[in-house]
mmCIF file of all heavy atoms in Angstrom:
data_model
loop_
_atom_site.group_PDB
_atom_site.id
_atom_site.type_symbol
_atom_site.label_atom_id
_atom_site.label_comp_id
_atom_site.label_asym_id
_atom_site.label_seq_id
_atom_site.Cartn_x
_atom_site.Cartn_y
_atom_site.Cartn_z
ATOM 1 N N GLN M 46 6.067 52.817 -39.419
ATOM 2 C CA GLN M 46 7.252 53.635 -39.647
ATOM 3 C C GLN M 46 7.523 53.773 -41.143
ATOM 4 O O GLN M 46 7.804 54.867 -41.633
ATOM 5 C CB GLN M 46 8.456 53.014 -38.947
ATOM 6 C CG GLN M 46 9.730 53.823 -39.071
ATOM 7 C CD GLN M 46 10.888 53.153 -38.341
ATOM 8 O OE1 GLN M 46 10.927 51.927 -38.194
ATOM 9 N NE2 GLN M 46 11.825 53.954 -37.873
ATOM 10 N N GLU M 49 5.040 56.156 -42.668
ATOM 11 C CA GLU M 49 5.361 57.548 -42.332
ATOM 12 C C GLU M 49 6.511 58.058 -43.196
ATOM 13 O O GLU M 49 6.510 59.215 -43.632
ATOM 14 C CB GLU M 49 5.722 57.670 -40.851
ATOM 15 C CG GLU M 49 4.541 57.508 -39.921
ATOM 16 C CD GLU M 49 4.932 57.412 -38.458
ATOM 17 O OE1 GLU M 49 6.144 57.445 -38.144
ATOM 18 O OE2 GLU M 49 4.024 57.304 -37.617
ATOM 19 N N GLN M 50 7.497 57.214 -43.447
ATOM 20 C CA GLN M 50 8.634 57.625 -44.270
ATOM 21 C C GLN M 50 8.206 57.866 -45.721
ATOM 22 O O GLN M 50 8.655 58.826 -46.344
ATOM 23 C CB GLN M 50 9.744 56.586 -44.195
ATOM 24 C CG GLN M 50 10.437 56.572 -42.849
ATOM 25 C CD GLN M 50 11.425 55.438 -42.680
ATOM 26 O OE1 GLN M 50 11.408 54.461 -43.425
ATOM 27 N NE2 GLN M 50 12.290 55.548 -41.676
ATOM 28 N N ALA M 53 6.286 61.141 -45.824
ATOM 29 C CA ALA M 53 7.209 62.287 -45.715
ATOM 30 C C ALA M 53 7.939 62.511 -47.031
ATOM 31 O O ALA M 53 8.096 63.660 -47.473
ATOM 32 C CB ALA M 53 8.208 62.058 -44.583
ATOM 33 N N ASN M 102 11.609 71.040 -41.445
ATOM 34 C CA ASN M 102 10.553 70.706 -40.481
ATOM 35 C C ASN M 102 10.024 69.289 -40.709
ATOM 36 O O ASN M 102 9.770 68.556 -39.751
ATOM 37 C CB ASN M 102 9.407 71.719 -40.560
ATOM 38 C CG ASN M 102 9.807 73.080 -40.039
ATOM 39 O OD1 ASN M 102 10.803 73.231 -39.341
ATOM 40 N ND2 ASN M 102 9.035 74.098 -40.400
ATOM 41 N N THR M 103 9.868 68.908 -41.953
ATOM 42 C CA THR M 103 9.377 67.564 -42.269
ATOM 43 C C THR M 103 10.384 66.508 -41.814
ATOM 44 O O THR M 103 10.002 65.506 -41.201
ATOM 45 C CB THR M 103 9.105 67.430 -43.786
ATOM 46 O OG1 THR M 103 8.131 68.419 -44.167
ATOM 47 C CG2 THR M 103 8.588 66.053 -44.136
ATOM 48 N N GLN M 104 11.665 66.746 -42.080
ATOM 49 C CA GLN M 104 12.710 65.806 -41.650
ATOM 50 C C GLN M 104 12.793 65.739 -40.125
ATOM 51 O O GLN M 104 12.942 64.667 -39.550
ATOM 52 C CB GLN M 104 14.071 66.209 -42.225
ATOM 53 C CG GLN M 104 14.322 65.770 -43.637
ATOM 54 C CD GLN M 104 14.215 64.268 -43.819
ATOM 55 O OE1 GLN M 104 13.449 63.829 -44.646
ATOM 56 N NE2 GLN M 104 14.952 63.485 -43.076
ATOM 57 N N GLU M 105 12.679 66.881 -39.482
ATOM 58 C CA GLU M 105 12.726 66.942 -38.020
ATOM 59 C C GLU M 105 11.574 66.134 -37.413
ATOM 60 O O GLU M 105 11.757 65.373 -36.465
ATOM 61 C CB GLU M 105 12.639 68.412 -37.572
ATOM 62 C CG GLU M 105 12.866 68.622 -36.111
ATOM 63 C CD GLU M 105 14.330 68.775 -35.765
ATOM 64 O OE1 GLU M 105 15.190 68.619 -36.637
ATOM 65 O OE2 GLU M 105 14.601 69.045 -34.599
ATOM 66 N N GLN M 106 10.386 66.306 -37.976
ATOM 67 C CA GLN M 106 9.215 65.565 -37.501
ATOM 68 C C GLN M 106 9.415 64.065 -37.702
ATOM 69 O O GLN M 106 9.090 63.263 -36.824
ATOM 70 C CB GLN M 106 7.974 66.041 -38.248
ATOM 71 C CG GLN M 106 6.692 65.391 -37.781
ATOM 72 C CD GLN M 106 5.490 65.901 -38.554
ATOM 73 O OE1 GLN M 106 5.612 66.575 -39.575
ATOM 74 N NE2 GLN M 106 4.305 65.561 -38.075
ATOM 75 N N LEU M 107 9.967 63.678 -38.830
ATOM 76 C CA LEU M 107 10.221 62.267 -39.111
ATOM 77 C C LEU M 107 11.246 61.695 -38.128
ATOM 78 O O LEU M 107 11.086 60.573 -37.633
ATOM 79 C CB LEU M 107 10.704 62.098 -40.559
ATOM 80 C CG LEU M 107 10.764 60.681 -41.092
ATOM 81 C CD1 LEU M 107 9.398 60.011 -41.041
ATOM 82 C CD2 LEU M 107 11.283 60.691 -42.524
ATOM 83 N N GLU M 108 12.275 62.460 -37.824
ATOM 84 C CA GLU M 108 13.285 62.008 -36.865
ATOM 85 C C GLU M 108 12.706 61.870 -35.458
ATOM 86 O O GLU M 108 13.027 60.911 -34.746
ATOM 87 C CB GLU M 108 14.476 62.972 -36.851
ATOM 88 C CG GLU M 108 15.336 62.858 -38.096
ATOM 89 C CD GLU M 108 16.462 63.876 -38.156
ATOM 90 O OE1 GLU M 108 16.829 64.430 -37.084
ATOM 91 O OE2 GLU M 108 16.966 64.114 -39.264
ATOM 92 N N MET M 109 11.825 62.784 -35.070
ATOM 93 C CA MET M 109 11.186 62.670 -33.756
ATOM 94 C C MET M 109 10.288 61.432 -33.704
ATOM 95 O O MET M 109 10.231 60.740 -32.682
ATOM 96 C CB MET M 109 10.392 63.933 -33.429
ATOM 97 C CG MET M 109 11.284 65.100 -33.040
ATOM 98 S SD MET M 109 10.386 66.532 -32.414
ATOM 99 C CE MET M 109 9.780 67.251 -33.931
ATOM 100 N N SER M 110 9.606 61.155 -34.795
ATOM 101 C CA SER M 110 8.780 59.941 -34.861
ATOM 102 C C SER M 110 9.657 58.698 -34.737
ATOM 103 O O SER M 110 9.273 57.721 -34.089
ATOM 104 C CB SER M 110 8.002 59.887 -36.177
ATOM 105 O OG SER M 110 7.009 60.875 -36.204
ATOM 106 N N ASP M 111 10.830 58.735 -35.379
ATOM 107 C CA ASP M 111 11.748 57.599 -35.290
ATOM 108 C C ASP M 111 12.264 57.397 -33.859
ATOM 109 O O ASP M 111 12.392 56.268 -33.392
ATOM 110 C CB ASP M 111 12.927 57.772 -36.251
ATOM 111 C CG ASP M 111 12.545 57.512 -37.703
ATOM 112 O OD1 ASP M 111 11.459 56.933 -37.946
ATOM 113 O OD2 ASP M 111 13.332 57.881 -38.594
ATOM 114 N N VAL M 112 12.553 58.486 -33.166
ATOM 115 C CA VAL M 112 12.994 58.385 -31.767
ATOM 116 C C VAL M 112 11.872 57.784 -30.927
ATOM 117 O O VAL M 112 12.096 56.873 -30.123
ATOM 118 C CB VAL M 112 13.425 59.760 -31.212
ATOM 119 C CG1 VAL M 112 13.581 59.732 -29.699
ATOM 120 C CG2 VAL M 112 14.715 60.212 -31.873
#
Side-chain angles (χ1 to χ4, degrees):
Q46 183 180 28
E49 289 171 359
Q50 289 173 343
N102 291 343
T103 301
Q104 278 302 124
E105 188 87 355
Q106 183 180 12
L107 191 59
E108 287 176 20
M109 285 189 282
S110 291
D111 285 345
V112 167

